[in-house]
Amino acid sequence: MNQGTGTLATRWQQTVTRLLVQARTASPRRADGLPACSHQEELAGKIIALLAVTWIALVSFWGIAGPFPDGHFAATAGIGTAGYNMWVYKTIFPVVYIPVPPLTSGNYYMHHPLGDFWVAAVFIKLFGANNVAVRLPAVLYTIGSTILLYRLGRATWGALAGGLCALAFVSLPITVGFANFHALEGPVIFGCLLSGWAYARFIQTSRERYALLSVLGLLWAVNHDWIAYVWAGLWVTWLYLRGFVLPPRWFEPISLRTFARYWGLQCAVVVGSLVLIVALLLQTDKLPELLGMHGARAAGSGLPLRAVLDSRRVWISLMFSDLAIVMGKIALPVLLIRLVATRNELEILPLLILTMATVQYVHFKQGADIHIFWPQYYAPYFALGVGALTATARAGADLIADAFSGTTAQWVRRNAAWLGLGTIGLLVLFVFHDGAATVRLARETGGRFVSSDIRSDVDTVEAVDWLIAHSPPAPRIAFHPGIEPVHWALCWEFRPHVLIPRQPVVSTDARDRLYVMDSRYAPVSDLKLAASKYHVRIIGHHWLIDRGQPAGPVDGYRFDEREPSLLQSFLRGATEPIRTVQADPFATWEWRSLLGQPAIAPTEPPRTLDQIRIAHNAALAAGNTAEVARFKGLLDAALTYRQPTVFDNGTELIGLYHHRGAQRSVTVFFRAGHFSGRAKFAIYAKVEKPPRFSSLPQDPAEISIAPPPPVPTELWKPGHIYSVQVPYRKRPGQELLTGAFVPLDGHPAPAVQSKSKGKTNRVELIRL
């Protein structure tokens, strides 16, 4: 037994030695300089890459024409606004909101190099000022990066490894989640990959057109984000060592004169781009502001790294999945060993990307603490790491073959490439499953994924668009202080109107005649003041006012919502219903009766759940007990879950309706008791069980997801039924929703009495 073990160990040692010796010799190359592989391997690699490109193209184009929600995706809208303003104001400087004239240098946004904004301006000029034009650059970056990863993997390790590089990239949640997010990361990743792939082909073919492409890739990257200068510094330093310091025999032979010209152009691009942006900063007097922003983004970077990473554990795991993180960690020593053993200089490229990503993620702590997409630069590192793992698994098959003899060893050696593909490919498919599971969550949260109380504000866009269409032209739109923030997405969607936030209800400025309130966040005194001074048109919780019109009773409207068609689902993103505004006599009666205005009960039959609710209230106000019972029965029959619960102020939770359409939501119905002040029914979401067959994390955070009711509880009439509709964004795993009344103005909120557990404010609502 010992002798056999010793013989086996000796055989393995000899095999490893042989592989290392082989690694130091030139691997077989085709006439075009690419690593040689069989026709079957070439075809399989191309098919895998084609599937990866097809998948990410579908994900990227999904929702390309849809409205911009609040959240991280609003940054893309801000870039679009900047490109739009460049043409309106004939300037090269970005302004990420519609400014109050006149435009000054104080309006300029100069926190980053200006490439994103210039690209947006070009696409708007070519395709018009629309949502497709603003998102299209990100789509091209994502698809282009996937293609470049295949080509770079092909040039470095072979066709099968290249195919898996592309597939690994599009499997990550962070890639699919931000596939059409036009911001800083996409163009930098694309530029670095273009520079790296073109360099690979340059040294493999000595063709200077590839050298020029590599220079252009670096130029593209450094003109989009500051972190690209970290890549550039590492890259030109490595090129200097490779071309002028290290022994030439270690690398592919190439003309020193040609290489020196290439390296000089790279340096000129870096220095020239830096001089240009500094000159623009000095011209606009924005350099102090930029330095201050650097200090803000880097705040807290001196904290212990372990504590910082632990605080972001869920975010990191959700963006990559735990399996991808483990694979990325294993890839690091593999790449280092391969770089030393093979002396294949292309294997340094993922290590440089890893360094850039780490500087971004660790140094700029404040940025990483508030932006879940901050580690996106790790995505191309992971993809290239998968390529290295695939090549290593192929070599490992030879080690396994040496443990056998005869036909078994021959079969293993003959199929080494496919064994490597199968081993690593299976792991990538598990990551792909996790990534695909997060696409909807990314889109319906505006790229935030797991934040609490997320509001898309798409309904606000549609309501205010209706106000604009039904009002005289006005240069500005004023917003009540309860609508915060007036974010970049709203600025883009309402262009060319100037948006004025935090404005009082009453104003005589003719420029601000269009005024928007949100009944959920406005004091009742402000609502009553607006209803007495102006003619208010109400759509749900939106109070829309043309302050140039004479005062009159409020008019109620509703969103007539329907599910999008297949084409609309693809173009708009399938996370919001298709809404049209309709006059609603039921909403008119309710608000007029609540505000003490003359109200006529509707005579038409109710069609929606909300109209049934209001019809019940109108019958109760009229003393028609038969109709009260009939409408209450209709409502009960429509509820998905009956959960009768009585609170100590007499309020009764009747039940809830669960809607599973484009916008998933729960609507909770209450029969009102006596409220002494303003309260809201807070709904809390808690993940009870982790997702099955997944390496996505179980988020331990309990988040609040419900807004205040559209009719403030101060206005609720005892015995009347009111509702709160709460869109939810389901996190991975099984999620439990519970609810409780919480105070909003210092008055005590009603509590529920539980006989088995004592007094508690929590009611179990539904498991998702």
Side-chain angles (χ1 to χ4, degrees):
M1 178 68 69
N2 291 337
Q3 182 178 2
T5 303
T7 302
L8 182 60
T10 302
R11 186 183 300 171
W12 276 73
Q13 183 179 11
Q14 292 172 347
T15 302
V16 172
T17 302
R18 175 173 55 80
L19 289 175
L20 290 176
V21 170
Q22 289 176 347
R24 287 182 171 87
T25 62
S27 58
R29 299 277 175 174
R30 300 191 327 189
D32 60 1
L34 293 174
C37 61
S38 69
H39 172 73
Q40 291 82 2
E41 292 175 38
E42 190 77 45
L43 180 61
K46 289 181 178 179
I47 291 174
I48 295 171
L50 179 61
L51 291 173
V53 171
T54 302
W55 160 250
I56 201 60
L58 290 172
V59 172
S60 300
F61 279 105
W62 184 48
I64 192 171
F68 282 98
D70 189 15
H72 293 315
F73 290 170
T76 296
I79 291 172
T81 302
Y84 170 83
N85 284 331
M86 286 179 179
W87 295 110
V88 172
Y89 292 97
K90 310 302 181 185
T91 178
I92 64 169
F93 297 106
V95 180
V96 295
Y97 53 89
I98 304 299
V100 177
L103 185 69
T104 67
S105 61
N107 298 121
Y108 298 149
Y109 181 85
M110 299 289 291
H111 295 175
H112 305 281
L114 306 186
D116 263 337
F117 310 108
W118 292 340
V119 168
V122 170
F123 274 69
I124 286 172
K125 189 67 172 179
L126 292 175
F127 304 108
N130 56 67
N131 294 351
V132 174
V134 176
R135 289 190 176 101
L136 188 56
V139 172
L140 299 180
Y141 294 140
T142 304
I143 296 173
S145 294
T146 306
I147 296 171
L148 287 170
L149 281 165
Y150 162 69
R151 291 186 174 276
L152 182 53
R154 173 68 182 91
T156 307
W157 300 289
L160 295 179
L164 280 188
C165 284
L167 184 62
F169 181 66
V170 304
S171 297
L172 292 173
I174 200 168
T175 300
V176 296
F178 295 94
N180 59 21
F181 177 50
H182 187 191
L184 306 171
E185 290 74 16
V188 171
I189 290 171
F190 175 80
C192 292
L193 291 176
L194 176 60
S195 185
W197 166 74
Y199 172 74
R201 299 301 291 140
F202 169 54
I203 63 172
Q204 289 172 346
T205 66
S206 298
R207 295 174 181 171
E208 292 194 69
R209 67 169 180 263
Y210 288 119
L212 180 59
L213 270 178
S214 181
V215 172
L216 292 176
L218 186 64
L219 176 67
W220 195 263
V222 296
N223 279 282
H224 279 84
D225 195 12
W226 296 112
I227 196 63
Y229 283 93
V230 174
W231 157 271
L234 294 169
W235 183 232
V236 297
T237 300
W238 161 252
L239 292 177
Y240 176 79
L241 294 174
R242 185 259 193 243
F244 309 111
V245 177
L246 298 176
R249 67 178 183 276
W250 288 5
F251 307 108
E252 297 279 353
I254 195 168
S255 164
L256 181 60
R257 181 183 182 87
T258 300
F259 188 88
R261 185 162 52 244
Y262 164 72
W263 180 76
L265 283 174
Q266 296 274 31
C267 293
V269 160
V270 174
V271 174
S273 297
L274 187 59
V275 169
L276 173 63
I277 187 61
V278 170
L280 294 176
L281 286 165
L282 293 175
Q283 180 181 342
T284 57
D285 198 27
K286 288 288 186 175
L287 186 57
E289 181 180 311
L290 174 65
L291 296 176
M293 178 54 62
H294 172 272
R297 288 288 191 231
S301 58
L303 294 175
L305 181 60
R306 172 48 55 191
V308 171
L309 295 180
D310 285 345
S311 69
R312 304 178 195 149
R313 185 191 66 80
V314 171
W315 276 18
I316 297 171
S317 296
L318 189 56
M319 289 295 92
F320 292 91
S321 82
D322 290 337
L323 176 58
I325 292 170
V326 171
M327 293 174 68
K329 290 179 178 179
I330 294 173
L332 176 57
V334 168
L335 282 163
L336 290 170
I337 292 171
R338 290 184 61 86
L339 181 62
V340 174
T342 67
R343 293 176 187 163
N344 180 359
E345 62 181 292
L346 299 182
E347 305 214 29
I348 201 172
L349 294 172
L351 298 175
L352 299 183
I353 293 175
L354 174 65
T355 305
M356 174 182 69
T358 303
V359 172
Q360 165 89 351
Y361 197 61
V362 174
H363 179 65
F364 297 103
K365 178 184 179 299
Q366 185 266 357
D369 285 341
I370 62 176
H371 298 99
I372 195 171
F373 59 84
W374 210 252
Q376 194 168 353
Y377 292 116
Y378 285 106
Y381 160 73
F382 169 74
L384 293 171
V386 164
L389 291 175
T390 304
T392 305
R394 177 176 185 167
D398 284 329
L399 291 176
I400 295 174
D402 280 353
F404 300 96
S405 60
T407 58
T408 301
Q410 294 175 4
W411 183 89
V412 171
R413 288 194 180 93
R414 187 168 58 252
N415 293 281
W418 305 106
L419 291 172
L421 172 68
T423 302
I424 306 303
L426 184 62
L427 297 176
V428 172
L429 288 177
F430 276 111
V431 177
F432 181 92
H433 168 268
D434 287 340
T438 64
V439 176
R440 180 184 175 97
L441 180 63
R443 298 301 173 83
E444 63 189 1
T445 61
R448 286 180 175 167
F449 283 85
V450 295
S451 299
S452 62
D453 195 18
I454 298 171
R455 292 175 285 165
S456 74
D457 282 346
V458 170
D459 58 342
T460 300
V461 171
E462 292 165 334
V464 177
D465 277 343
W466 181 86
L467 171 65
I468 294 170
H470 290 79
S471 302
R476 311 198 321 188
I477 303 174
F479 290 82
H480 183 268
I483 300 180
E484 286 286 355
V486 179
H487 47 78
W488 286 341
L490 297 182
C491 291
W492 165 256
E493 296 289 357
F494 299 145
R495 65 190 185 283
H497 296 87
V498 178
L499 307 188
I500 311 296
R502 298 179 292 277
Q503 297 301 298
V505 173
V506 178
S507 173
T508 58
D509 192 332
R511 296 174 302 172
D512 298 338
R513 62 182 296 168
L514 300 187
Y515 188 68
V516 183
M517 304 176 69
D518 188 330
S519 63
R520 301 172 301 177
Y521 300 100
V524 170
S525 58
D526 282 2
L527 297 177
K528 290 182 176 179
L529 177 61
S532 66
K533 289 282 188 180
Y534 306 108
H535 174 218
V536 181
R537 288 171 283 185
I538 303 173
I539 309 174
H541 55 82
H542 304 96
W543 281 42
L544 310 173
I545 304 170
D546 178 357
R547 293 190 288 200
Q549 289 186 342
V554 302
D555 283 322
Y557 296 80
R558 66 181 174 87
F559 281 125
D560 186 15
E561 297 183 349
R562 63 175 177 83
E563 296 302 310
S565 67
L566 183 62
L567 180 60
Q568 289 170 330
S569 294
F570 182 73
L571 294 178
R572 293 175 59 89
T575 59
E576 298 276 347
I578 303 300
R579 300 182 178 97
T580 55
V581 178
Q582 302 288 339
D584 191 342
F586 293 89
T588 299
W589 176 87
E590 177 167 64
W591 278 109
R592 287 183 180 182
S593 63
L594 289 172
L595 296 169
Q597 297 178 346
I600 300 175
T603 57
E604 64 184 69
R607 292 189 299 153
T608 68
L609 278 182
D610 203 51
Q611 289 181 339
I612 294 173
R613 173 188 69 80
I614 298 173
H616 166 278
N617 296 345
L620 184 64
N624 190 336
T625 56
E627 288 291 271
V628 168
R630 185 171 75 87
F631 289 129
K632 177 61 165 58
L634 289 175
L635 187 61
D636 287 342
L639 296 182
T640 312
Y641 295 90
R642 294 287 307 282
Q643 190 79 14
T645 304
V646 179
F647 294 83
D648 58 12
N649 72 338
T651 298
E652 179 188 2
L653 190 159
I654 300 171
L656 64 84
Y657 175 74
H658 184 197
H659 181 68
R660 297 178 176 88
Q663 185 185 68
R664 300 177 292 185
S665 65
V666 293
T667 304
V668 189
F669 290 84
F670 301 92
R671 193 201 310 267
H674 296 272
F675 280 86
S676 58
R678 193 164 196 173
K680 83 167 186 174
F681 190 72
I683 295 181
Y684 304 95
K686 176 77 172 179
V687 180
E688 293 184 306
K689 297 179 181 179
R692 300 178 62 187
F693 311 113
S694 170
S695 65
L696 293 173
Q698 177 182 348
D699 187 1
E702 183 177 69
I703 60 176
S704 175
I705 64 172
V711 177
T713 56
E714 296 147 293
L715 299 178
W716 285 17
K717 296 182 178 181
H720 286 216
I721 296 176
Y722 300 95
S723 65
V724 181
Q725 184 181 31
V726 182
Y728 68 83
R729 285 87 182 183
K730 186 180 178 301
R731 292 172 290 176
Q734 178 178 286
E735 203 161 10
L736 171 66
L737 302 187
T738 59
F741 278 106
V742 296
L744 296 178
D745 60 359
H747 290 83
V752 62
Q753 183 72 37
S754 172
K755 294 181 180 179
S756 60
K757 298 181 180 179
K759 195 168 186 178
T760 176
N761 272 341
R762 292 294 183 92
V763 179
E764 285 196 8
L765 298 174
I766 187 175
R767 282 180 170 82
L768 304 172

